[in-house]
Amino acid sequence: MITIKDIFFHEVVRPLRVTFATAKGRKNVMRSIIVRVALADGSSGLGECPTSISLGNETMHLAKNVLNRLRPQLKGMPIENYEAAMRLFRKKYTEYPMTISGLEVALFRANLAHRKITEHSYWGGKIRSVQTDITIPFISDKNLLERWISYAFRKGFTAYKLKVSGNIEQDKEVLSFVYNKLRKTMQGFTLRLDGNQGFTRKTFMQIVDHIRRSRFNVELFEQPLPKNDFQGLKEIRAFSPFPIILDETVITGSDALRVAEHGLAHGINIKIAKSGIMESADIMAIAKKHGLKLMIGCMTETMIGLSAAIYLAAGSDAFDYIDLDGIFLLYHKNQFRNVSLRGPYFSIQPQ
């Protein structure tokens, strides 16, 4: 049996190209913890524990404390046993889903390296290229919005995800500006909306009325209501003219089962950064069984974390919507290991 030799981690801070702003807050820098798991046979794996506006209590300081607590429990453990340990840790440390997920990805990758299996093939190896959308942050400065849209257009993006807030008058103004700018800039585009829990049932209906009156073509609306407003979600699902996709509401397979059984939404956004490997696989299976749409998303991460989602998306070819744009908020290279970036496309080269 190959054992876990040690676990190392360090902090990474990088500036963002544009202010990342949602209904819950804003930030100008990305902060993550990079985790490396080393095995006794020399194999290793990397994971990333990001920070997020939506999970603001999971700070870098607290994440490091959790990793320091878990490190001695994992050292010397056979790598074959890591899954059982991670399920226990996820139940014990429910307030730190991104920390547990980053550690799990590192363990998962170390185990794959030991077994000489690639991530792409682990997930099925079905396709080698995926196309992502790009986020337009919730900012009212039209000059900044115009510059960001122009940057995305030059990069070749055709799918855009606009952050909206629940402040109806401001949302109407920004949505109208962005939609008309996109319509003037390109012949065809896709627009998605992300409420980040900022709406009520009343304000959601108001923004839907505005979209209908303006004849805006919106592909989906992500997480309009607070994550635990289950009755409200059920009601707006019946009312909405476009699919409701839940993000913050779903972290575990149990959460996904609630969505499916109670009809809370049309689909789920899976983020390995918060659900890890095993829970993401459980969510996928539940969504497939119940006919829910699937989106794959990310936090503001480096390619260490984002690549786990890229391999899942391409390997499984299971997702209706790809939202893996976090790297474009950073100053980045166009190659990471066997993943190359060209405009909105991630391509995976054979290993």
Side-chain angles (χ1 to χ4, degrees), residues 11-31:
E11 184 175 336
V12 173
V13 180
R14 293 189 182 176
L16 300 181
R17 283 180 178 272
V18 65
T19 298
F20 183 76
T22 74
K24 293 296 183 181
R26 59 181 55 218
K27 62 181 180 180
N28 292 298
V29 295
M30 178 223 74
R31 299 180 187 275

Side-chain angles (χ1 to χ4, degrees), residues 146-190:
E146 193 161 2
R147 286 206 298 271
W148 184 244
I149 292 170
S150 296
Y151 162 79
F153 174 70
R154 291 195 304 272
K155 282 280 189 179
F157 284 90
T158 58
Y160 296 80
K161 189 173 84 166
L162 174 64
K163 298 285 190 180
V164 285
S165 68
N167 180 326
I168 290 301
E169 294 309 314
Q170 192 170 10
D171 285 341
K172 286 180 182 178
E173 184 177 354
V174 171
L175 174 56
S176 296
F177 176 82
V178 167
Y179 198 93
N180 290 323
K181 174 65 179 176
L182 290 172
R183 188 159 48 190
K184 291 176 183 177
T185 303
M186 61 192 78
Q187 289 185 336
F189 64 90
T190 298

